[in-house]
Amino acid sequence: MKHICITGASSGLGAALALAYAQAGSLLTLWARDETRLAATAEACKGKGAATAVVAADLRDHRAARETLAGLDDANPVDVVFLAAGVITGIPPGGNRESAEDAFRTMDVNALGSLNLAACLFERMCARGSGHLIFVSSIAGLYPLPNSPSYSASKIAVSYYARGLAAIGRRFGVRVSCVYPGYLETPMGRRLKALKPFALPPDKAADLIRSRLEKGKDRVVFPLAAALGVYFLHVLPKPLADRLALKAGYRVVPDRESNTYA
């Protein structure tokens, strides 16, 4: 039975990935904090024939997360892991900067939370000579966006960590991939107040990710038009690129844990 672990599986892209991979003969370990929504995802996956297990835990408790993952891997070696858990903070509507508390939380969940689990599994996968780590970064990780600097930084960190691991993993039969989605029509995406060109529903994004990974692509960037727009910023003089990024950038409606400056 193929064991697939997905973090952030209670909603958004994580839940969509769970449904995209749910099928008979697979064991899905679904990880998130919201136990009620997690259970709903698990039931939907069972309806497609998959066996499921749930982990309702906070990735910011790094030691407990590693111990939990090690226990799961001991019981049923993990074949594939999607590190899709994430939060977004930034400059709120009517504000002028992101709070230090929000920035730290975003880095802790998006970057450290993913790196912590990846490091644990990577060592185990290398020892057995197989496995696939998939990091979920973002198009925001391709250029530092001034309206959500910590989110961009967290996604840049994830993508560079993935690239570093990939070079080592190839020597041991372990595959490492990184996904860079653009705007998604998810609860988190709806907190971004701006024009959101080429936004995709999460189920279509999940199907696209699965299709490209199965074709051997280890760098999955979409949609292409949005990615080209971000890449264009790199060739402009930096002052002009930053002005355009500010003008086109979004504001982030605070979530329940935000501590923002007005």
Side-chain angles (χ1 to χ4, degrees):
M1 182 173 287
K2 190 171 187 178
H3 187 182
I4 303 171
C5 180
I6 303 172
T7 67
S10 62
S11 68
L13 182 59
L17 285 167
L19 288 167
Y21 280 85
Q23 60 188 42
S26 64
L27 167 61
L28 299 179
T29 293
L30 309 176
W31 191 316
R33 290 186 301 164
D34 191 314
E35 193 167 1
T36 300
R37 290 189 300 169
L38 200 55
T41 303
E43 283 302 310
C45 291
K46 286 178 185 177
K48 297 182 71 175
T52 65
V54 297
V55 178
D58 194 330
L59 293 182
R60 290 175 290 182
D61 188 342
H62 301 305
R63 181 173 180 176
R66 285 195 307 273
E67 290 174 351
T68 298
L69 184 59
L72 292 169
D73 193 61
D74 285 340
N76 292 287
V78 176
D79 300 293
V80 179
V81 60
F82 279 93
L83 299 162
V87 298
I88 186 168
T89 60
I91 299 176
N96 56 22
R97 57 178 171 149
E98 178 182 45
S99 74
E101 292 87 349
D102 280 350
F104 188 88
R105 175 165 61 98
T106 299
M107 293 297 293
D108 199 10
V109 175
N110 298 2
L112 298 181
S114 292
L115 272 57
N116 181 50
L117 295 189
C120 174
L121 265 189
F122 186 70
E123 181 178 359
R124 289 165 165 261
M125 288 178 169
C126 286
R128 56 183 177 252
S130 66
H132 190 183
L133 297 175
I134 302 129
F135 293 83
V136 177
S137 180
S138 167
I139 281 183
L142 300 176
Y143 189 87
L145 299 180
N147 285 340
S148 54
S150 66
Y151 183 75
S152 287
S154 71
K155 294 304 186 178
I156 290 168
V158 160
S159 64
Y160 270 63
Y161 189 72
R163 288 172 63 181
L165 284 190
I168 302 169
R170 282 190 288 269
R171 298 169 53 199
F172 294 94
V174 177
R175 184 179 173 193
V176 181
S177 307
C178 195
V179 177
Y180 301 80
Y183 289 117
L184 298 178
E185 296 167 1
T186 62
M188 190 169 80
R190 286 191 283 274
R191 289 176 42 235
L192 307 181
K193 297 305 176 184
L195 291 175
K196 290 175 270 191
F198 317 111
L200 287 176
D203 58 335
K204 294 197 176 195
D207 289 341
L208 184 153
I209 290 167
R210 178 169 185 173
S211 173
R212 293 195 186 173
L213 290 174
E214 289 179 347
K215 290 176 182 176
K217 304 291 185 183
D218 283 327
R219 183 177 169 88
V220 180
V221 185
F222 65 93
L224 179 60
L228 289 174
V230 175
Y231 280 124
F232 182 64
L233 295 175
H234 286 282
V235 302
L236 294 175
K238 189 174 184 306
L240 176 57
D242 286 347
R243 283 200 299 273
L244 288 174
L246 274 169
K247 186 173 182 180
Y250 46 76
R251 294 299 174 102
V252 183
V253 175
D255 63 14
R256 289 177 297 176
E257 294 184 61
S258 288
N259 184 348
T260 58
Y261 292 104

